[in-house]
Amino acid sequence: MQRDKKPTLSEVAKLAGVSEITVSRALRGSASVSGKTLLKVEKAATSLGYLRNRLAGALAGGASNQVAVILPSLSNSVFADVLNGLEVRLEQAGFHPVLGVSNYDPQQEEQLIRNLLTWRPAGLVIAPSDLTKASHALLEGAGLPLVEIMDTDTTPIDMGVGMSQRGAGSRMAHHLIARGYRRMAYLGHDIVRDRRAAARRDGFCATLGKAGLALCASLTLPAQSSVALGRQGLAQLLSEASEWPDVVYFSNDDMAVGGVFHCMSQGIAVPDSLAIAGFNGLEIGQSLPVPLATIASHRTAIGKTAADCILDRLSGRHTETLADLGFTLIAGGTA
Amino acid sequence: MQRDKKPTLSEVAKLAGVSEITVSRALRGSASVSGKTLLKVEKAATSLGYLRNRLAGALAGGASNQVAVILPSLSNSVFADVLNGLEVRLEQAGFHPVLGVSNYDPQQEEQLIRNLLTWRPAGLVIAPSDLTKASHALLEGAGLPLVEIMDTDTTPIDMGVGMSQRGAGSRMAHHLIARGYRRMAYLGHDIVRDRRAAARRDGFCATLGKAGLALCASLTLPAQSSVALGRQGLAQLLSEASEWPDVVYFSNDDMAVGGVFHCMSQGIAVPDSLAIAGFNGLEIGQSLPVPLATIASHRTAIGKTAADCILDRLSGRHTETLADLGFTLIAGGTA
DNA sequence: ACAGCAATTGACAGCGCTGTCATTCAATGT
DNA sequence: ACATTGAATGACAGCGCTGTCAATTGCTGT
């Protein structure tokens, strides 16, 4: 590892026998550089192993090519998918995500926003957990393309990409009612922190209510969602419930898959003795011996679309304020 | 969204009635600022909504607080875990990961290294897919703390954190032999691109060989690993195999879980008719009705340790060249 | 041959901050 | 009382690059 200073523009310029600014233009692919000088410059640059310093470039020119991304969690594969979609699109455009994870903690989220903004990113994508007043103010005053992702139930500050979480919950309620289920139970993970899971639950319950129904059992576990939690949670729910439910609506597919596993290990027939429904449309759920009834969220698309919003805005193109990417019911076989 | 220029140091200085450098020192928490001026400065800064510009700071001072992270994929939850570990540690220290995903493509990887280095990150963490000569040269000449993660089978350029993939394969072979299995099959995903999966397979086969055994069937599918691929792949493997194997060693847990699902849906008793082993120790495998036999890699720890390596090096502390975090055999119940 | 024009190239002045060294000033020791 | 010290503050000069505008060049048409 050589510790020497990296070569600078002016050294390349000297070697190529042109001015710094010409090197700068040549290396950035400006049109107003003749083929001959371009060649000279490129030769000089590679022979010196020159790497431009984008810190300096961004400071001088304003454009940063970094996009701040704030997610509430990475253990949840949903956000990994979103990040994946984001990264792909950003990379295509020569941009890079700078990542922050808030752990569903508003304070940490605010700190993250503040810190990431100090890098003067070209844009900011956030899956908000719960914005503090200060967070809100920071975002409003940031003066950069800003996309709030994951749900469309609230009005975005600048742009929004996602789906109606409430609507998804409602849709599943309609579906389960239509399938003839009546005794419905809910099993969720930490709903206080995951406000989108809470919105799905609310939508679900509201639709039940309109049909004159109500949850016959409900359990919310104060922990991160996981397959193990779903499995253990279903055992608890069933042992505590006063009556055996027809169907359990889980806060997401991880939990629901855990529920399916519990049933398998206890010999509970799914869906005949107990039906199971989830949310997200994860691959694992669809690869089960009996595919999971769920609602597919278009996670990767959300990431891609969010990236597009930022990129479009930066290139001056028109952008929608709110992109609702919807969701897709997967009837599956478990409900 | 106000588009106005952001307030600068000198405006804060003017308002606080001190010099720019004093503001700079105050806001960075330097010791040599009196309590009184510190207060004045902080008041002025908040009243203006001042956010430091770290672009300028890094350019002037050299220290960047960004760490470049290059991973081959994000769809694989393994890398999401690693990234998670990295992010947690970096965030604690006030650093941020800047992400690049190479898709197991050496060219893209090289491009990524080049691009990310232009941001003059404080360090670089890479899960190499396959470094080109140019990649290698870039990394060697980068002159920054550099950690190669995931496997310890090759000598790192600077620092390495991971485990022996070959050793993990070998360990599982020993285990399966000890359990009395003899007719062993292998089912893997795209091994040409995933050289770590290939290393595990090699280690597995080498150990079989030493015991006078060989794979009785083997199938490598040219696709990204997934549960669905494992499920479909096992069906194919079994239909093509000349003899029924005792056990199938899968390239990872995703694939293995798919294998378990295939068995479930076909009524193949696991492990009595067919045993199944994987790699990674994913939560899903351990939540199955019968927990998966596998080898747990310490993914989050790898991320954390890699971050620590960077941070330690930056603060001048001594760092190991190679940290082997090992792995843990989980006997499970499927083999 | 010469004005007129587009294509190239360059000089200069910062972008907003921090390292370095110099300065100020009050507190200390004898 | 006076030199000595340390704490607190400031002046200055860049970090490496790019936007702006000016200067140069080589062509064109007449």
Side-chain angles (χ1 to χ4, degrees):
Chain A
M1 294 223 320
Q2 55 199 62
R3 277 247 154 249
D4 9 48
K5 285 220 93 13
K6 308 201 111 23
T8 69
L9 248 201
S10 83
E11 289 163 53
V12 178
K14 214 163 295 167
L15 185 62
V18 295
S19 71
E20 295 184 24
I21 186 67
T22 300
V23 176
S24 171
R25 282 196 274 246
L27 263 26
R28 279 182 298 158
S30 160
S32 57
V33 171
S34 73
K36 214 167 43 181
T37 36
L38 181 57
L39 240 59
K40 274 194 304 187
V41 169
E42 278 174 348
K43 218 184 76 188
T46 46
S47 90
L48 286 175
Y50 172 74
L51 275 184
R52 43 194 291 222
N53 182 339
R54 287 173 130 300
L55 288 175
L59 179 61
S64 118
N65 275 32
Q66 291 190 152
V67 173
V69 177
I70 299 178
L71 302 174
S73 154
L74 269 179
S75 359
N76 191 326
S77 77
V78 165
F79 293 111
D81 288 342
V82 171
L83 181 56
N84 198 32
L86 266 167
E87 205 281 337
V88 167
R89 273 291 205 287
L90 290 179
E91 194 175 314
Q92 285 168 351
F95 284 61
H96 298 287
V98 187
L99 187 64
V101 175
S102 71
N103 286 307
Y104 292 99
D105 175 352
Q107 293 309 316
Q108 215 173 327
E109 185 172 57
E110 177 185 326
Q111 199 54 49
L112 234 28
I113 295 172
R114 199 187 310 279
N115 280 333
L116 291 177
L117 283 179
T118 64
W119 286 105
R120 298 293 187 272
L124 173 57
V125 176
I126 182 169
S129 73
D130 200 358
L131 298 179
T132 64
K133 281 218 181 65
S135 296
H136 219 274
L138 281 166
L139 293 178
E140 291 206 306
L144 43 63
L146 166 64
V147 187
E148 287 163 81
I149 56 172
M150 299 320 284
D151 72 82
T152 54
D153 294 326
T154 57
T155 310
I157 297 173
D158 183 11
M159 296 177 280
V161 176
M163 47 168 288
S164 170
Q165 301 284 339
R166 215 164 186 291
S170 170
R171 180 78 185 76
M172 184 54 86
H174 279 299
H175 176 68
L176 295 178
I177 292 170
R179 303 275 295 183
Y181 297 109
R182 288 299 175 269
R183 292 194 308 282
M184 315 226 190
Y186 173 84
L187 177 53
H189 62 279
D190 192 348
I191 226 166
V192 177
R193 314 214 313 162
D194 188 341
R195 74 151 204 256
R196 282 173 282 271
R200 291 193 294 275
R201 195 201 132 116
D202 289 350
F204 187 83
C205 290
T207 298
L208 287 193
K210 275 186 209 136
L213 297 169
L215 289 177
C216 72
S218 174
L219 179 59
T220 302
L221 301 162
Q224 210 175 51
S225 79
S226 70
V227 177
L229 188 71
R231 183 173 172 174
Q232 168 238 307
L234 182 55
Q236 186 182 337
L237 177 90
L238 293 175
S239 74
E240 291 175 0
S242 52
E243 60 174 338
W244 187 268
D246 287 337
V247 57
V248 181
Y249 178 47
F250 286 78
S251 52
N252 63 216
D253 280 5
D254 292 294
M255 301 285 290
V257 168
V260 170
F261 288 170
H262 172 74
C263 292
M264 284 178 171
S265 66
Q266 297 299 304
I268 301 171
V270 175
D272 296 333
S273 296
L274 185 71
I276 286 179
F279 169 81
N280 259 333
L282 297 188
E283 193 233 351
I284 177 84
Q286 298 313 303
S287 297
L288 287 170
V290 177
L292 187 65
T294 189
I295 282 182
S297 56
H298 306 314
R299 304 175 297 283
T300 310
I302 289 178
K304 287 185 179 172
T305 307
D308 286 339
C309 286
I310 301 276
L311 297 170
D312 284 353
R313 174 71 69 77
L314 288 174
S315 57
R317 255 165 281 152
H318 170 75
T319 47
E320 298 296 335
T321 296
L322 195 61
D324 188 338
L325 268 40
F327 47 76
T328 310
L329 180 79
I330 300 179
T334 63
Chain B
M1 294 223 321
Q2 53 199 62
R3 279 248 153 248
D4 11 48
K5 285 221 89 19
K6 309 201 110 23
T8 68
L9 249 201
S10 83
E11 288 163 53
V12 178
K14 215 163 292 166
L15 185 63
V18 295
S19 70
E20 294 184 25
I21 187 69
T22 299
V23 176
S24 171
R25 283 197 273 247
L27 263 27
R28 279 181 299 159
S30 159
S32 56
V33 172
S34 74
K36 214 168 42 184
T37 35
L38 181 57
L39 240 59
K40 276 194 303 189
V41 169
E42 277 175 348
K43 218 184 77 189
T46 46
S47 89
L48 287 176
Y50 172 74
L51 274 184
R52 41 196 292 229
N53 182 337
R54 287 173 129 302
L55 248 35
L59 179 60
S64 120
N65 275 30
Q66 291 191 151
V67 172
V69 176
I70 300 177
L71 302 174
S73 154
L74 270 179
S75 359
N76 190 328
S77 77
V78 165
F79 293 111
D81 289 342
V82 171
L83 181 57
N84 199 31
L86 266 168
E87 206 280 339
V88 167
R89 274 291 204 287
L90 290 179
E91 194 175 314
Q92 285 168 351
F95 283 62
H96 297 287
V98 186
L99 187 63
V101 175
S102 70
N103 287 307
Y104 292 100
D105 175 352
Q107 293 309 317
Q108 216 174 327
E109 185 171 59
E110 178 184 325
Q111 198 55 47
L112 234 27
I113 295 172
R114 199 187 311 278
N115 279 335
L116 290 178
L117 283 180
T118 64
W119 285 105
R120 299 293 187 268
L124 172 57
V125 176
I126 182 170
S129 73
D130 201 357
L131 299 178
T132 64
K133 281 220 182 63
S135 297
H136 218 274
L138 281 167
L139 293 179
E140 292 207 306
L144 43 63
L146 166 65
V147 187
E148 287 162 80
I149 57 172
M150 298 321 283
D151 72 81
T152 54
D153 293 327
T154 56
T155 310
I157 297 173
D158 182 9
M159 295 176 282
V161 175
M163 47 166 289
S164 170
Q165 302 284 339
R166 215 166 187 290
S170 170
R171 179 81 184 76
M172 183 54 87
H174 279 300
H175 176 69
L176 295 178
I177 292 171
R179 305 275 294 182
Y181 297 109
R182 289 298 175 270
R183 291 194 309 280
M184 315 225 189
Y186 173 85
L187 177 54
H189 63 279
D190 192 348
I191 225 167
V192 177
R193 313 210 320 158
D194 187 341
R195 73 150 205 257
R196 282 173 284 270
R200 291 194 293 276
R201 194 200 131 117
D202 289 348
F204 187 83
C205 291
T207 298
L208 287 193
K210 278 188 206 133
L213 297 170
L215 290 177
C216 72
S218 175
L219 179 59
T220 302
L221 301 162
Q224 211 175 50
S225 78
S226 71
V227 177
L229 188 72
R231 182 173 173 173
Q232 169 237 308
L234 182 55
Q236 187 183 335
L237 177 90
L238 293 176
S239 76
E240 291 175 0
S242 52
E243 58 176 339
W244 186 268
D246 288 336
V247 56
V248 181
Y249 179 47
F250 286 78
S251 52
N252 65 216
D253 280 5
D254 292 294
M255 301 286 289
V257 167
V260 170
F261 287 170
H262 172 75
C263 292
M264 284 177 170
S265 65
Q266 296 300 305
I268 301 172
V270 175
D272 298 332
S273 295
L274 185 69
I276 286 180
F279 170 82
N280 258 333
L282 297 188
E283 192 233 350
I284 176 85
Q286 298 313 303
S287 299
L288 286 171
V290 176
L292 187 64
T294 189
I295 282 181
S297 56
H298 307 316
R299 305 176 295 283
T300 310
I302 289 177
K304 287 185 178 173
T305 307
D308 285 338
C309 285
I310 301 276
L311 297 170
D312 284 352
R313 173 71 68 77
L314 288 174
S315 58
R317 255 165 283 152
H318 170 74
T319 47
E320 297 296 337
T321 297
L322 194 63
D324 187 339
L325 267 41
F327 47 78
T328 309
L329 180 80
I330 300 179
T334 62

